[in-house]
Amino acid sequence: MNILLTVAYDGTNYFGWQKQKERISVQQKVEEALSRLLKNDISVRGASRTDTGVHALEQGVFFKAETTIPINKFPFAINPFLPEDIVVSKAVEVDDNFHPQYSVLKKTYEYKILNSRFKIPQLRNYTEFVHNELDIEKMQKSCRFFVGEHDFKAFCAAGSTAKTTIRTIYDLTVQKNNNIISIYVTGNGFLYNMVRIIAGTLIYVGEGKIKPEDIKYIIESKDRKKAGKTVSPNGLTLFKVCYI
Amino acid sequence: MNILLTVAYDGTNYFGWQKQKERISVQQKVEEALSRLLKNDISVRGASRTDTGVHALEQGVFFKAETTIPINKFPFAINPFLPEDIVVSKAVEVDDNFHPQYSVLKKTYEYKILNSRFKIPQLRNYTEFVHNELDIEKMQKSCRFFVGEHDFKAFCAAGSTAKTTIRTIYDLTVQKNNNIISIYVTGNGFLYNMVRIIAGTLIYVGEGKIKPEDIKYIIESKDRKKAGKTVSPNGLTLFKVCYI
């Protein structure tokens, strides 16, 4: 049986999604819970590696197992085996052609910024704090320059092993609700740190350090140094994964 | 010099505001920070005692001290001495007639509910989780029955030492934003657990266990057993304190 879970997690206390030696990961916790529930060693694969401190609302998690638990009851069965910062919200059966990464059609990330004079402690693990008042309209005007198929080399962290730096962004929006600015970006795939560099570049626009139309030239330059800084992982959430 | 601070804190890791022996409190952390900054033993008084796990966005904190730090720079001076879950956002000088509790004109609390099929781990310390779908309109229709001067004995935890259980609620509103329901209640003062019992009673209304107009009779009964349960402290935030 091929099972796809939708998993939410608070990444604050984990060294990212991916299993590692001697450092606690979300993948390890999910595998331990499934292995205990199903009384069998279970290995899982995620749709997306998320870094240390990055959160997920709907991470896709795939595994193979034999079970008599009805698939729609599976979240209720597995949640008691998970720590309180990891929650399974959905389980579906998928066919043999399904692949946890290659079957991904598009992914959406959310990046949250607290734009205020002082930090709000309750938001410290879930937002990037920006003290300077950001011009939300300018940030919104920048969005259209990102949309489409582009070589996003300027928005890729050094040391990436990606075969190509060409990606397609389907949608990018910036919203403001009181002093929280939320950036939503949907694409067919993302380079290493790409969303955090896009967010950092949008902050530069909001601060007036660069103009909205400069985005076009930054993309064309393919030069990481021209884009904004890589902002903190805390503000980042893997928001949604859509499969074929 | 009489100084009034506005202090935000994440109450998750504290046994409430009030200083206690052998258990860590927000008051203790604020006093330690001020004592280190001002190189003198400083005692503070809060506008409101908040319980274990309860948060604050704008707690009022009063103390007397001699300092040459300009009052508008004071938050920047004190914040480096505080842990990351406590932040001072404002400091003002007040006159000798000011009293941290008696000078309070009104207080606003916020109570947040996550109303969804599954928990969201990022919200676990900041919301009460309710699985049953709540009827927001019915909750909103209940609000007017609370507003005004009433004997709120039915909404007071047993063991309260309050001289009178009469309080005035100036405003009560219920808002919904996606799957988050926020209750805002403003009053001249609150009995022990009063906001958490009001929230628990509004949840009963939202679940259809009681009708909006039943609130009137619950208040009149002065019987704690007629009101809803005391919901968790996690959802509660001291939102604002207004002084005379």
Side-chain angles (χ1 to χ4, degrees):
Chain A
M1 205 168 157
N2 301 309
I3 298 177
L4 175 67
L5 304 178
T6 303
V7 182
Y9 49 83
D10 181 331
T12 307
N13 298 320
Y14 297 98
F15 289 93
W17 162 259
Q18 190 86 351
K19 208 159 56 171
Q20 301 145 72
K21 280 179 191 159
E22 291 172 22
R23 297 207 303 179
I24 195 172
S25 65
V26 181
Q27 184 181 15
Q28 182 193 327
K29 287 286 172 188
V30 173
E31 290 185 348
E32 285 172 3
L34 287 168
S35 301
R36 282 175 60 207
L37 172 68
L38 302 172
K39 296 179 173 62
N40 213 336
D41 273 359
I42 305 287
S43 294
V44 305
R45 294 182 70 175
S48 194
R49 292 184 193 188
T50 55
D51 282 339
T52 300
V54 174
H55 316 287
L57 196 65
E58 296 193 4
Q59 165 77 292
V61 176
F62 174 81
F63 67 100
K64 287 173 184 282
E66 294 315 311
T67 172
T68 55
I69 300 167
I71 195 72
N72 61 329
K73 302 288 185 206
F74 200 86
F76 300 99
I78 187 64
N79 279 330
F81 291 87
L82 286 163
E84 60 170 7
D85 49 9
I86 305 177
V87 172
V88 173
S89 63
K90 200 176 168 188
V92 291
E93 203 179 335
V94 288
D95 64 31
D96 284 334
N97 298 322
F98 184 89
H99 187 283
Q101 279 117 35
Y102 304 142
S103 299
V104 172
L105 187 67
K106 57 184 184 177
K107 284 186 251 185
T108 301
Y109 281 92
E110 177 189 40
Y111 197 90
K112 278 163 98 171
I113 299 159
L114 171 64
N115 189 207
S116 62
R117 284 195 68 209
F118 291 95
K119 291 183 183 180
I120 296 176
Q122 290 83 325
L123 300 175
R124 69 194 185 285
N125 295 323
Y126 311 105
T127 55
E128 166 84 353
F129 173 70
V130 178
H131 174 268
N132 298 334
E133 197 180 336
L134 298 176
D135 185 326
I136 184 88
E137 284 186 24
K138 282 187 180 164
M139 292 171 76
Q140 288 167 334
K141 277 183 188 161
S142 309
C143 292
R144 69 181 181 91
F145 298 106
F146 286 100
V147 175
E149 186 183 85
H150 298 287
D151 187 336
F152 284 102
K153 203 175 170 208
F155 295 85
C156 179
S160 162
T161 56
K163 282 176 209 147
T164 165
T165 46
I166 294 172
R167 293 291 185 277
T168 301
I169 289 184
Y170 300 117
D171 194 42
L172 177 60
T173 58
V174 180
Q175 298 172 7
K176 189 168 187 182
N177 189 5
N178 294 320
N179 47 21
I180 307 286
I181 295 171
S182 301
I183 298 167
Y184 295 94
V185 54
T186 302
N188 64 349
F190 294 91
L191 300 163
Y192 190 53
N193 282 354
M194 181 169 156
V195 180
R196 289 163 59 187
I197 301 169
I198 289 174
T201 307
L202 286 171
I203 289 170
Y204 274 8
V205 172
E207 290 177 328
K209 288 178 182 165
I210 56 173
K211 290 190 218 101
E213 52 271 27
D214 290 341
I215 301 296
K216 196 166 172 280
Y217 307 110
I218 295 169
I219 294 172
E220 283 170 5
S221 77
K222 299 178 195 169
D223 180 358
R224 171 67 191 91
K225 291 191 289 293
K226 296 265 192 286
K229 64 175 182 180
T230 306
V231 282
S232 92
N234 295 2
L236 187 60
T237 297
L238 174 58
F239 196 72
K240 201 176 173 63
V241 180
C242 286
Y243 294 94
I244 296 163
Chain B
M1 207 170 158
N2 301 311
I3 298 177
L4 174 67
L5 303 178
T6 302
V7 182
Y9 50 84
D10 181 332
T12 306
N13 297 321
Y14 297 97
F15 289 93
W17 162 260
Q18 190 86 349
K19 207 160 56 172
Q20 301 145 73
K21 280 180 190 158
E22 291 171 22
R23 297 207 303 180
I24 195 172
S25 64
V26 180
Q27 184 181 15
Q28 183 194 326
K29 287 286 173 190
V30 173
E31 290 186 348
E32 284 172 4
L34 287 168
S35 300
R36 282 174 59 207
L37 172 68
L38 301 173
K39 297 181 173 59
N40 213 334
D41 274 357
I42 305 288
S43 295
V44 305
R45 294 182 71 175
S48 194
R49 290 184 193 188
T50 55
D51 282 339
T52 300
V54 174
H55 316 289
L57 196 65
E58 296 192 4
Q59 166 78 292
V61 176
F62 174 81
F63 66 100
K64 287 173 183 283
E66 294 314 311
T67 173
T68 55
I69 300 166
I71 195 72
N72 60 328
K73 302 289 184 207
F74 200 86
F76 300 99
I78 187 64
N79 279 329
F81 290 88
L82 285 163
E84 61 172 6
D85 50 9
I86 305 176
V87 172
V88 173
S89 63
K90 199 176 167 189
V92 291
E93 202 179 334
V94 289
D95 64 32
D96 284 332
N97 298 323
F98 184 88
H99 187 282
Q101 279 117 33
Y102 304 143
S103 300
V104 172
L105 188 66
K106 56 185 185 177
K107 285 187 250 185
T108 300
Y109 281 91
E110 178 189 39
Y111 197 90
K112 278 163 99 171
I113 299 159
L114 171 64
N115 189 206
S116 62
R117 283 196 68 210
F118 291 95
K119 291 181 183 182
I120 296 176
Q122 291 82 324
L123 300 176
R124 70 194 184 285
N125 295 324
Y126 311 105
T127 55
E128 166 85 351
F129 173 69
V130 177
H131 174 269
N132 298 333
E133 197 181 337
L134 298 176
D135 185 326
I136 183 89
E137 284 187 23
K138 282 187 181 164
M139 292 171 77
Q140 287 167 335
K141 277 182 189 162
S142 309
C143 292
R144 69 181 181 91
F145 298 105
F146 286 100
V147 175
E149 185 184 84
H150 298 288
D151 186 336
F152 284 103
K153 202 175 170 207
F155 295 85
C156 179
S160 162
T161 55
K163 281 178 211 148
T164 165
T165 46
I166 295 172
R167 294 289 184 277
T168 301
I169 289 185
Y170 300 118
D171 195 42
L172 177 61
T173 58
V174 180
Q175 298 173 8
K176 190 170 184 180
N177 189 6
N178 295 318
N179 48 19
I180 307 285
I181 295 171
S182 301
I183 299 167
Y184 295 94
V185 54
T186 302
N188 64 348
F190 294 92
L191 300 164
Y192 190 52
N193 283 353
M194 181 168 156
V195 179
R196 289 162 59 187
I197 301 170
I198 290 175
T201 307
L202 285 172
I203 290 170
Y204 274 8
V205 172
E207 290 176 328
K209 288 178 184 166
I210 56 172
K211 291 192 218 97
E213 52 273 28
D214 290 341
I215 301 298
K216 197 167 171 282
Y217 307 108
I218 294 169
I219 294 172
E220 284 170 6
S221 78
K222 298 177 194 170
D223 181 0
R224 171 68 192 88
K225 291 191 288 294
K226 296 265 192 288
K229 64 175 182 179
T230 305
V231 284
S232 92
N234 295 2
L236 187 60
T237 297
L238 173 58
F239 195 73
K240 200 175 173 65
V241 180
C242 286
Y243 293 93
I244 296 164

